[in-house]
Coordinates of all heavy atoms in Angstrom, one line a residue:
M127 N 0.9 -1.2 -0.1 CA 0.1 0.0 0.0 C 1.0 1.2 0.0 O 1.9 1.2 0.7 CB -0.9 0.0 1.2 CG -1.9 1.0 1.2 SD -3.1 1.1 2.6 CE -3.9 -0.4 2.3
K128 N 0.5 2.2 -0.7 CA 1.3 3.5 -0.9 C 0.4 4.7 -0.7 O -0.8 4.6 -1.1 CB 1.8 3.5 -2.3 CG 2.6 4.8 -2.6 CD 3.0 4.7 -4.1 CE 3.6 6.2 -4.4 NZ 3.8 6.4 -5.8
T129 N 0.8 5.7 0.0 CA 0.1 6.9 0.2 C 0.5 7.9 -1.0 O 1.8 8.1 -1.4 CB 0.4 7.4 1.6 OG1 0.1 6.7 2.5 CG2 -0.3 8.9 1.7
I130 N -0.5 8.6 -1.5 CA -0.1 9.5 -2.6 C -0.7 10.9 -2.3 O -1.6 11.0 -1.4 CB -0.6 9.1 -4.0 CG1 -2.1 9.1 -4.0 CG2 -0.1 7.8 -4.3 CD1 -2.8 8.9 -5.4
N131 N -0.2 11.9 -2.8 CA -0.7 13.3 -2.6 C -1.7 13.7 -3.6 O -1.7 13.0 -4.7 CB 0.5 14.2 -2.4 CG 1.3 14.4 -3.6 OD1 0.8 14.5 -4.7 ND2 2.7 14.4 -3.4
P132 N -2.3 14.8 -3.5 CA -3.3 15.2 -4.6 C -2.6 15.4 -5.9 O -3.2 15.1 -6.9 CB -3.7 16.5 -4.0 CG -3.7 16.4 -2.5 CD -2.4 15.6 -2.4
Q133 N -1.4 16.0 -6.0 CA -0.7 16.1 -7.3 C -0.5 14.8 -8.0 O -0.7 14.6 -9.1 CB 0.6 16.9 -7.1 CG 1.3 17.2 -8.4 CD 0.6 18.0 -9.4 OE1 -0.2 18.9 -9.0 NE2 0.7 17.7 -10.7
E134 N -0.2 13.8 -7.1 CA 0.1 12.5 -7.8 C -1.2 11.8 -8.2 O -1.3 11.2 -9.4 CB 0.7 11.5 -6.7 CG 2.2 11.8 -6.4 CD 2.7 11.1 -5.3 OE1 2.0 11.0 -4.2 OE2 3.9 10.5 -5.4
L135 N -2.2 12.2 -7.5 CA -3.6 11.6 -8.0 C -4.0 12.4 -9.3 O -4.5 11.7 -10.2 CB -4.7 11.9 -6.9 CG -6.1 11.7 -7.3 CD1 -6.2 10.1 -7.6 CD2 -7.0 11.9 -6.2
H136 N -3.8 13.6 -9.4 CA -4.2 14.4 -10.5 C -3.2 13.8 -11.7 O -3.9 13.7 -12.8 CB -3.7 15.8 -10.4 CG -4.0 16.7 -11.5 ND1 -5.3 17.1 -11.9 CD2 -3.3 17.4 -12.4 CE1 -5.3 17.8 -12.9 NE2 -4.1 18.0 -13.2
E137 N -2.0 13.5 -11.5 CA -1.2 13.0 -12.8 C -1.8 11.6 -13.1 O -1.9 11.3 -14.3 CB 0.2 12.8 -12.3 CG 0.9 14.2 -12.0 CD 0.9 15.0 -13.3 OE1 1.2 14.5 -14.4 OE2 0.8 16.2 -13.2
L138 N -2.2 10.8 -12.2 CA -2.8 9.4 -12.5 C -4.1 9.6 -13.4 O -4.3 9.0 -14.4 CB -3.1 8.6 -11.3 CG -1.9 8.0 -10.6 CD1 -2.3 7.4 -9.3 CD2 -1.3 6.8 -11.5
I139 N -4.8 10.6 -13.0 CA -6.2 10.7 -13.5 C -5.8 11.2 -15.0 O -6.7 11.0 -15.9 CB -7.0 11.7 -12.8 CG1 -7.4 11.1 -11.4 CG2 -8.2 12.2 -13.5 CD1 -7.9 12.1 -10.3
K140 N -5.0 12.1 -15.2 CA -4.7 12.7 -16.6 C -4.3 11.6 -17.5 O -4.5 11.8 -18.7 CB -3.7 13.7 -16.5 CG -4.1 15.1 -15.8 CD -3.0 16.1 -15.9 CE -1.7 15.9 -16.4 NZ -0.8 17.0 -16.2
D141 N -3.7 10.5 -17.1 CA -3.2 9.5 -18.0 C -4.5 8.7 -18.4 O -5.0 7.9 -17.7 CB -2.2 8.6 -17.2 CG -1.7 7.5 -18.1 OD1 -2.2 7.3 -19.4 OD2 -0.7 6.8 -17.7
K142 N -4.9 8.9 -19.7 CA -6.1 8.3 -20.3 C -6.0 6.8 -20.4 O -6.9 6.0 -20.7 CB -6.5 9.0 -21.6 CG -6.9 10.5 -21.4 CD -8.1 10.7 -20.5 CE -8.3 12.1 -20.3 NZ -9.2 12.5 -19.2
D143 N -4.7 6.3 -20.5 CA -4.4 4.8 -20.8 C -4.5 4.1 -19.4 O -4.1 2.9 -19.4 CB -3.1 4.7 -21.5 CG -3.2 5.3 -22.8 OD1 -4.1 5.2 -23.5 OD2 -2.1 5.8 -23.4
H144 N -4.5 4.8 -18.3 CA -4.5 4.2 -17.0 C -5.8 4.4 -16.3 O -6.3 5.5 -16.1 CB -3.4 5.0 -16.2 CG -3.0 4.2 -15.0 ND1 -2.0 3.3 -15.0 CD2 -3.4 4.3 -13.7 CE1 -1.8 2.9 -13.8 NE2 -2.6 3.4 -13.0
K145 N -6.5 3.2 -16.0 CA -7.9 3.5 -15.4 C -7.8 3.5 -13.9 O -7.2 2.5 -13.3 CB -8.7 2.3 -15.9 CG -10.2 2.3 -15.7 CD -10.9 1.5 -16.5 CE -12.5 1.8 -16.3 NZ -13.3 0.8 -17.0
V146 N -8.2 4.5 -13.3 CA -8.2 4.7 -11.9 C -9.5 4.6 -11.2 O -10.5 5.3 -11.7 CB -7.5 6.0 -11.6 CG1 -7.4 6.3 -10.0 CG2 -6.2 6.2 -12.2
A147 N -9.7 3.8 -10.1 CA -10.8 3.9 -9.3 C -10.5 4.7 -8.1 O -9.6 4.3 -7.3 CB -11.3 2.5 -8.9
L148 N -11.4 5.6 -7.8 CA -11.3 6.4 -6.5 C -12.4 5.9 -5.6 O -13.5 6.1 -5.9 CB -11.4 7.8 -6.7 CG -11.1 8.8 -5.5 CD1 -9.8 8.5 -4.9 CD2 -11.2 10.2 -5.9
I149 N -12.0 5.2 -4.5 CA -13.0 4.6 -3.7 C -13.2 5.3 -2.3 O -12.2 5.5 -1.6 CB -12.7 3.1 -3.4 CG1 -12.3 2.4 -4.8 CG2 -13.7 2.4 -2.6 CD1 -13.5 2.1 -5.6
D150 N -14.3 5.7 -2.1 CA -14.7 6.4 -0.7 C -15.2 5.4 0.1 O -16.2 4.6 -0.1 CB -15.8 7.5 -1.0 CG -16.1 8.2 0.2 OD1 -16.1 7.7 1.4 OD2 -16.3 9.5 0.1
V151 N -14.4 5.0 1.2 CA -14.7 3.8 2.1 C -15.6 4.1 3.3 O -15.8 3.4 4.1 CB -13.4 3.2 2.5 CG1 -12.7 2.6 1.3 CG2 -12.5 4.0 3.4
R152 N -16.1 5.4 3.3 CA -17.0 5.7 4.3 C -18.4 5.1 4.1 O -18.7 4.6 3.1 CB -17.1 7.2 4.5 CG -15.7 7.9 4.7 CD -15.9 9.4 4.7 NE -16.4 9.8 3.4 CZ -17.0 11.0 3.2 NH1 -17.2 11.8 4.0 NH2 -17.3 11.3 1.9
T153 N -19.3 5.3 5.3 CA -20.6 5.0 5.1 C -21.4 5.6 3.9 O -21.1 6.7 3.6 CB -21.4 5.0 6.4 OG1 -21.5 6.4 6.6 CG2 -20.6 4.3 7.6
P154 N -22.5 5.0 3.5 CA -23.3 5.7 2.6 C -23.9 7.1 3.0 O -23.9 8.1 2.2 CB -24.4 4.9 2.2 CG -23.8 3.5 2.4 CD -22.9 3.7 3.7
E155 N -24.1 7.3 4.3 CA -24.6 8.4 4.8 C -23.5 9.4 4.8 O -23.8 10.6 4.5 CB -25.1 8.2 6.3 CG -26.3 7.3 6.4 CD -26.0 5.8 6.3 OE1 -24.8 5.4 6.6 OE2 -26.8 5.0 6.0
E156 N -22.3 9.2 5.2 CA -21.2 10.1 5.1 C -20.9 10.5 3.6 O -20.7 11.6 3.5 CB -20.0 9.5 5.7 CG -20.2 9.2 7.2 CD -18.9 8.4 7.8 OE1 -18.7 7.3 7.2 OE2 -18.3 8.9 8.8
Y157 N -21.0 9.4 2.7 CA -20.7 9.8 1.3 C -21.8 10.8 0.8 O -21.5 11.6 0.0 CB -20.9 8.5 0.6 CG -20.5 8.5 -1.0 CD1 -19.2 8.6 -1.4 CD2 -21.6 8.7 -1.9 CE1 -19.1 8.7 -2.8 CE2 -21.2 8.6 -3.2 CZ -20.0 8.7 -3.7 OH -19.8 8.8 -5.0
D158 N -23.0 10.6 1.2 CA -24.0 11.4 0.7 C -23.9 13.0 1.2 O -24.3 13.9 0.4 CB -25.5 11.0 1.1 CG -25.8 9.7 0.4 OD1 -25.4 9.4 -0.6 OD2 -26.9 9.1 0.9
I159 N -23.3 13.1 2.2 CA -23.1 14.5 2.8 C -22.1 15.2 1.9 O -22.2 16.4 1.6 CB -22.6 14.5 4.2 CG1 -23.9 14.0 5.2 CG2 -22.2 15.8 4.7 CD1 -23.3 13.6 6.6
E160 N -21.0 14.6 1.5 CA -20.0 15.2 0.8 C -18.9 14.1 0.3 O -18.6 13.2 1.0 CB -19.1 16.1 1.7 CG -18.1 16.9 0.9 CD -17.4 18.0 1.7 OE1 -17.1 17.8 2.8 OE2 -17.2 19.0 1.1
H161 N -18.6 14.2 -1.0 CA -17.6 13.2 -1.6 C -17.0 13.9 -2.8 O -17.4 14.8 -3.3 CB -18.3 11.9 -1.9 CG -19.4 12.1 -2.8 ND1 -20.6 12.3 -2.5 CD2 -19.5 11.9 -4.3 CE1 -21.5 12.4 -3.6 NE2 -20.7 12.2 -4.7
I162 N -15.9 13.3 -3.2 CA -15.2 13.7 -4.5 C -16.2 13.3 -5.7 O -16.7 12.2 -5.7 CB -13.7 13.0 -4.6 CG1 -13.0 13.6 -3.5 CG2 -13.1 13.3 -5.9 CD1 -11.6 12.9 -3.3
E163 N -16.4 14.1 -6.5 CA -17.4 14.0 -7.6 C -17.5 12.7 -8.3 O -18.5 12.1 -8.4 CB -17.1 15.1 -8.8 CG -18.2 15.1 -9.7 CD -18.1 16.2 -10.8 OE1 -17.4 17.2 -10.4 OE2 -18.4 16.1 -11.8
W164 N -16.4 12.1 -8.8 CA -16.4 10.9 -9.6 C -15.9 9.6 -8.7 O -15.7 8.6 -9.2 CB -15.6 11.0 -10.8 CG -14.2 11.4 -10.5 CD1 -13.7 12.6 -10.4 CD2 -13.1 10.5 -10.4 NE1 -12.4 12.7 -10.2 CE2 -11.9 11.3 -10.2 CE3 -12.8 9.0 -10.4 CZ2 -10.6 10.9 -9.9 CZ3 -11.5 8.7 -10.1 CH2 -10.6 9.4 -10.0
S165 N -16.0 9.8 -7.3 CA -15.6 8.6 -6.6 C -16.8 7.6 -6.4 O -17.9 7.9 -6.7 CB -15.4 9.1 -5.1 OG -16.4 9.7 -4.4
I166 N -16.4 6.4 -6.2 CA -17.3 5.3 -5.9 C -17.4 5.0 -4.4 O -16.4 4.9 -3.7 CB -16.7 4.0 -6.6 CG1 -16.6 4.3 -8.1 CG2 -17.7 2.8 -6.4 CD1 -15.8 3.2 -8.8
N167 N -18.6 5.0 -3.9 CA -18.8 4.6 -2.5 C -18.8 3.2 -2.3 O -19.6 2.3 -2.8 CB -20.0 5.2 -2.1 CG -20.3 5.0 -0.5 OD1 -21.3 4.7 -0.1 ND2 -19.3 5.3 0.3
M168 N -17.9 2.7 -1.5 CA -17.7 1.2 -1.2 C -17.2 1.1 0.2 O -16.0 1.1 0.4 CB -16.8 0.5 -2.2 CG -16.8 -1.0 -2.1 SD -15.8 -1.9 -3.2 CE -16.5 -1.6 -4.7
P169 N -18.0 1.1 1.1 CA -17.6 1.0 2.6 C -16.6 -0.2 2.8 O -16.7 -1.3 2.2 CB -18.9 0.8 3.4 CG -19.9 1.5 2.5 CD -19.4 1.2 1.1
V170 N -15.7 -0.1 3.7 CA -14.8 -1.1 3.9 C -15.4 -2.4 4.2 O -14.9 -3.5 3.8 CB -13.9 -0.7 5.1 CG1 -13.1 -1.8 5.6 CG2 -13.1 0.5 4.9
D171 N -16.6 -2.4 4.9 CA -17.1 -3.7 5.3 C -17.7 -4.4 3.9 O -17.9 -5.7 4.0 CB -18.4 -3.4 6.1 CG -18.1 -2.9 7.5 OD1 -16.8 -3.0 7.9 OD2 -19.1 -2.3 8.1
Y172 N -17.8 -3.8 2.8 CA -18.3 -4.4 1.6 C -17.2 -4.8 0.6 O -17.5 -5.4 -0.4 CB -19.3 -3.5 0.9 CG -20.4 -3.0 1.7 CD1 -20.7 -1.7 2.0 CD2 -21.3 -4.0 2.2 CE1 -21.8 -1.4 2.8 CE2 -22.5 -3.7 3.0 CZ -22.6 -2.4 3.2 OH -23.8 -2.0 4.0
F173 N -15.9 -4.4 0.9 CA -14.9 -4.6 0.0 C -14.8 -6.1 -0.4 O -14.6 -6.4 -1.7 CB -13.5 -4.2 0.6 CG -12.9 -2.9 0.0 CD1 -13.4 -1.8 0.2 CD2 -12.0 -3.2 -0.9 CE1 -13.0 -0.7 -0.3 CE2 -11.4 -2.0 -1.5 CZ -11.9 -0.7 -1.2
Q174 N -14.7 -7.0 0.5 CA -14.6 -8.5 0.2 C -15.7 -8.9 -0.8 O -15.4 -9.5 -1.7 CB -14.6 -9.3 1.5 CG -14.2 -10.7 1.3 CD -12.8 -10.8 0.8 OE1 -12.0 -10.0 1.1 NE2 -12.6 -11.9 0.1
D175 N -16.9 -8.5 -0.6 CA -18.0 -8.9 -1.4 C -18.0 -8.4 -2.8 O -18.5 -8.7 -3.8 CB -19.3 -8.7 -0.7 CG -19.5 -9.4 0.5 OD1 -18.9 -10.5 0.6 OD2 -20.4 -9.0 1.4
H176 N -17.4 -7.2 -3.0 CA -17.4 -6.5 -4.2 C -16.0 -6.3 -4.9 O -15.9 -5.6 -5.9 CB -18.0 -5.0 -4.0 CG -19.4 -5.0 -3.5 ND1 -19.7 -5.2 -2.3 CD2 -20.6 -5.0 -4.2 CE1 -21.0 -5.3 -2.1 NE2 -21.6 -5.0 -3.3
K177 N -15.0 -7.0 -4.5 CA -13.7 -6.8 -4.9 C -13.6 -7.2 -6.4 O -12.7 -6.6 -7.1 CB -12.7 -7.7 -4.1 CG -12.8 -9.1 -4.2 CD -11.8 -9.8 -3.3 CE -12.1 -11.2 -3.4 NZ -11.1 -12.1 -2.5
D178 N -14.5 -8.1 -6.9 CA -14.4 -8.5 -8.4 C -14.7 -7.2 -9.3 O -14.3 -7.2 -10.3 CB -15.4 -9.6 -8.7 CG -14.9 -11.0 -8.1 OD1 -13.6 -11.0 -7.9 OD2 -15.7 -11.9 -8.0
Q179 N -15.5 -6.3 -8.7 CA -15.9 -5.1 -9.5 C -14.7 -4.2 -9.8 O -14.7 -3.5 -10.7 CB -17.0 -4.3 -8.9 CG -18.2 -5.0 -8.7 CD -19.3 -4.2 -7.8 OE1 -18.8 -3.2 -7.0 NE2 -20.4 -4.6 -7.7
L180 N -13.6 -4.5 -9.0 CA -12.5 -3.6 -9.2 C -11.4 -4.1 -10.1 O -10.5 -3.4 -10.4 CB -11.9 -3.2 -7.7 CG -12.9 -2.7 -6.8 CD1 -12.2 -2.6 -5.4 CD2 -13.4 -1.3 -7.2
K181 N -11.5 -5.3 -10.6 CA -10.6 -5.8 -11.4 C -10.2 -5.1 -12.7 O -9.3 -5.3 -13.3 CB -11.0 -7.3 -11.7 CG -10.8 -8.3 -10.5 CD -11.2 -9.7 -10.9 CE -11.0 -10.6 -9.8 NZ -11.4 -12.0 -10.1
E182 N -11.3 -4.4 -13.2 CA -11.0 -3.6 -14.5 C -10.1 -2.4 -14.2 O -9.7 -1.9 -15.3 CB -12.4 -3.2 -15.0 CG -13.0 -2.2 -14.1 CD -14.3 -1.8 -14.5 OE1 -15.4 -2.3 -14.2 OE2 -14.5 -0.8 -15.4
Y183 N -9.7 -2.0 -13.0 CA -9.0 -0.8 -12.8 C -7.4 -1.2 -12.7 O -7.0 -2.3 -12.1 CB -9.3 -0.1 -11.5 CG -10.8 0.3 -11.7 CD1 -11.8 -0.3 -11.1 CD2 -11.0 1.5 -12.3 CE1 -13.2 0.1 -11.2 CE2 -12.4 2.1 -12.4 CZ -13.3 1.3 -11.9 OH -14.7 1.7 -12.1
D184 N -6.6 -0.3 -13.3 CA -5.2 -0.3 -13.1 C -4.6 0.0 -11.7 O -3.7 -0.6 -11.2 CB -4.5 0.4 -14.0 CG -4.8 0.1 -15.6 OD1 -4.8 -1.2 -15.9 OD2 -5.1 0.9 -16.3
T185 N -5.3 0.9 -11.3 CA -4.9 1.5 -9.8 C -6.2 1.7 -9.0 O -7.2 2.3 -9.6 CB -4.2 2.9 -10.0 OG1 -3.0 2.6 -10.8 CG2 -3.8 3.5 -8.7
I186 N -6.2 1.4 -7.8 CA -7.3 1.6 -6.9 C -6.8 2.4 -5.8 O -5.9 2.1 -5.1 CB -7.8 0.3 -6.3 CG1 -8.4 -0.7 -7.6 CG2 -9.0 0.5 -5.3 CD1 -8.7 -2.1 -7.2
I187 N -7.6 3.5 -5.6 CA -7.2 4.6 -4.5 C -8.2 4.6 -3.6 O -9.4 4.8 -4.0 CB -6.9 5.9 -5.1 CG1 -5.6 5.7 -6.1 CG2 -6.6 6.9 -4.0 CD1 -5.4 7.0 -6.9
T188 N -8.0 4.4 -2.3 CA -9.0 4.6 -1.3 C -8.9 5.8 -0.4 O -7.7 6.2 -0.3 CB -9.1 3.3 -0.4 OG1 -7.9 3.2 0.3 CG2 -9.5 2.1 -1.1
Y189 N -10.0 6.3 0.0 CA -9.9 7.5 0.9 C -11.1 7.5 1.8 O -12.2 6.8 1.6 CB -9.8 8.8 0.1 CG -11.1 9.4 -0.3 CD1 -11.9 10.2 0.4 CD2 -11.7 8.9 -1.7 CE1 -13.2 10.8 -0.2 CE2 -12.8 9.4 -2.1 CZ -13.5 10.3 -1.4 OH -14.7 10.8 -1.9
C190 N -10.9 8.2 2.9 CA -12.0 8.4 3.9 C -11.8 9.8 4.4 O -10.8 10.5 4.3 CB -12.0 7.4 5.0 SG -10.6 7.4 6.0
N191 N -13.0 10.4 5.1 CA -12.9 11.6 5.7 C -12.1 12.7 5.0 O -11.3 13.3 5.3 CB -12.5 11.5 7.2 CG -13.1 12.4 8.1 OD1 -14.0 13.1 7.7 ND2 -12.6 12.4 9.3

């Protein structure tokens, strides 16, 4: 696992040949209050059940709060 800064995230997103998933791991209620526009809400508790949905991405970035 690696930590990246906002600039590194921006660079990854700009690369059209690199498919990035930005996963908000908070609860749906927290996500509804505020979230990054194109993020996907997938609470930590659901990761195991939904991990196959993430196979299409080259990079998976998670964030909370």
